[in-house]
Amino acid sequence: MVFNSKEELMENQKAYEATKSLLYQLADDDFLIAYRGSEWLGLAPHIEEDVAFSSINQDTMGHAVMYFQLLEELGEGKADDLSHLRNPREFRNAVILEMKNGSGTYLEKPDYDWAFAVVRNLFYDYAKTIRLQSLKESSYKPLAYMAQRILSEEYYHLMHWELWFKQLMDSTPEARQRMEAAIERVWDDFDGVLTLGPKKEDMESCQLIGGEKELKDQWLKRVQSIFEDVNYTIDRTPGMKNGNGRKGEHTEDLDQALSILSEVYRMDPVTNW
Amino acid sequence: MLEMAQSLTEEEKYHRFMERIEAGERIEADDWMPDDYREALIRLISMHAVSEIMGALPEKEWVPKAPTLHRKLAIMAKVQDEMGHGQLLLRVAEDLMKPLGRNREDILKDLFSGKLKFHNVFHMKAPTWGDAGIIAWLVDGAAIITQSMSLNSSYGPYARALQRICAEEVFHAQHGESIILALTEGTEEQKKMIQTSLTEWWPALLMFFGPRSKENVGKSHVNKNIKYKIRTKTNEDLRQEFFNKYVPRIQSIGLKIPDETIHFNEEKGEWIYEQPDWDEFKKIVTGHGPMSKERLELRTTSYENTAWVRDALANRNVKEAY
Amino acid sequence: MNNDFYEEYEVFSKRNQMAPFQHQFSLLAPNKEMAMVMAKENFLRREPCVNIWVVKKSDISSLGEEERVILNRLDNKSYRETKGYGYLKKKWREYEQEQFTEKNLLK
Ligand SMILES: [Fe+2]
Ligand SMILES: [Fe+2]
């Protein structure tokens, strides 16, 4: 099965719907984690790190834009409308990616948790890299081509978060304890990233992406390997404690995120900004 | 020969230092320098550094709120640059402070305690997207004018940092122009938004360059800085340059400057304008501006909340050393 | 205690395969791995770059202000340079031959 263009894809209703569904997951995942990252701007533990982290967030939001543009091509509407005007229930990102960085807001009393940022980003970048490697073989060629391009920016992200993860896990007891708490928290919702949602079978049978099970195993293997490096074990499988975002289940944190993200755009979605 | 050089008296060293300054040579971090030169540089550069870092905060409010995907990315890159400018300048200041046994931690503590001041403009509110436009266009525009004056600073590391900074400022200015023009060419609402922002920011923009002479507001370090070729122009020179460059541009796009009296006096060859409230300026820069407390709190809280991270990696070093 | 977090590193980079390493700037980082990860985005987020060095500042030795007198040199060393052999051009012309210069070496 190969779809070289959107015209070819649109002839196959099942593949067309499954592709759109997959693209929303990809776009929304990147969009939300990049947004949460951008809230850290100016507040990171170290000024040099602030600059580095911001580049990662720009890259990631840039990837979301690419997916939104693919959706735009597929007739879903303007990329800016898709990112700013959809109802929170229409978002397909995993719940763990929408969650606040900590208590407070980016403007007031931000009690942000750097351990949570490190763990969430590292686990996500592992999942994202595995997903992209699979998408390189996608039957929808415009997506396969895009995956290859996006993958080229992932190496730095992985190097960056792996380094933070390893160093903090291997430092003071306080840091270790904070990191372990963050791992458990992210773990209990991370299945939300690894699941392909209700259209999973169609995505798989149309060869848009590899099998969910297989990708999940790859992720577990990768995570186990870094856990071994830092002498850590966890005895349960990742969960979806706060809901399945692929089905439109979300937390209040998403409402909060989207109202901030769209505050200005909503004033007038038609005008030129 | 080496011994001879070392046996110079303080006075001879000062004399040789001034000769180097006058010959347009660049002083480097490890060179001998008079205490008041070092002090003047530390004062100027650490204030510049923390202003960049504090300057990221009002704009940061608009990073996630920027209207479109493209604007979100652009303003993120712009604010990132400002943090980067802070980094460059902190490094320059830190090297100057090293012989005094002080480091970054001390600079940040002085900022938190209010001992180290930051630029008046970053104490102001930025309640609308229009403010994000005005900051990038005019605050950065004003900053470019002051910074490019010191591109030839006698202190080499500062001049080199400014070269990196100014290259990025060109992007900032264009990013600002792009926001402004979209608003002035947009709907009535958008035009109103940007006019309000300009009106609100105008006095702060005039204050940005500092008072005309020290009579206006206490002591001034301008003269010493000029003698040492750290800077080459006075506050008023810079403000006049700003008017030259921006008054015609502001007017050409249909915005109104909130000063009925502003005009260019051909005879005097300078702009005549209404003075901002310099008492207000003094209040703002001493930490009593509209947002001074909130912004400092934001920085202080985040610095304290991430102290465990710095402790962790610092102790990791100690561990590895044994 | 936090002071151990702030080690100074100098950052160098190479613009392309043929270019020499060039000093960019310096940064503070707790160790060299962190310094490397910071260096890329702090100083090389716009210009092309094919490799990076980070060097701990304390590992670099340089000349102090007074020691720089060792760099003094008289301008009596034309024998070391091609400008001391300028007259050869005319000579070779007499033999209807070209002089060997840098220009025809690179040709
Ligand atoms: Fe700046
Ligand atoms: Fe700027």
Side-chain angles (χ1 to χ4, degrees), chain B residues 52 78 82 85 140 169 172:
Chain B
E52 297 279 359
K78 198 265 183 190
E82 303 301 3
H85 298 170
D140 279 56
E169 291 296 351
H172 298 182

Side-chain angles (χ1 to χ4, degrees), chain B residues 155-213:
Chain B
Y155 190 56
Y158 189 42
R160 286 194 294 272
L162 287 174
Q163 258 154 26
R164 290 191 86 98
I165 290 172
C166 285
E168 290 177 351
E169 291 296 351
V170 179
F171 150 64
H172 298 182
Q174 294 183 358
H175 157 80
E177 286 171 9
S178 161
I179 296 175
I180 293 292
L181 289 175
L183 294 176
T184 56
E185 292 172 0
T187 64
E188 284 311 310
E189 284 290 297
Q190 287 174 308
K191 286 180 192 162
K192 222 161 59 196
M193 180 191 269
I194 192 62
Q195 179 61 60
T196 308
S197 296
L198 176 67
T199 308
E200 291 290 319
W201 280 86
W202 186 253
L205 286 164
L206 299 190
M207 291 175 191
F208 180 89
F209 300 98
R212 179 189 275 264
S213 63

Side-chain angles (χ1 to χ4, degrees), chain A residues 90-159:
Chain A
E90 294 172 88
F91 271 74
R92 290 294 174 265
N93 60 283
V95 170
I96 190 66
L97 307 180
E98 75 203 28
M99 289 188 161
K100 290 180 182 169
N101 295 311
S103 67
T105 72
Y106 77 105
L107 297 176
E108 232 180 315
K109 305 213 181 337
D111 191 0
Y112 283 5
D113 180 0
W114 185 246
F116 180 53
V118 170
V119 173
R120 169 160 71 172
N121 275 285
L122 176 66
F123 286 9
Y124 179 67
D125 274 322
Y126 278 152
K128 181 172 170 177
T129 302
I130 289 164
R131 199 155 69 181
L132 287 167
Q133 267 154 358
S134 172
L135 287 170
K136 277 196 319 191
E137 315 300 327
S138 175
S139 58
Y140 186 43
K141 290 303 154 197
L143 177 58
Y145 172 68
M146 192 176 274
Q148 193 154 10
R149 287 185 9 110
I150 292 175
L151 203 49
S152 69
E153 283 188 334
E154 276 302 299
Y155 301 105
Y156 174 68
H157 302 184
L158 281 175
M159 178 191 187

Side-chain angles (χ1 to χ4, degrees), chain C residues 88-99:
Chain C
L88 288 174
K89 190 173 184 175
K90 202 169 145 228
K91 282 259 169 231
W92 280 116
R93 208 179 294 137
E94 285 166 22
Y95 296 102
E96 295 183 358
Q97 295 293 319
E98 244 183 279
Q99 186 194 3

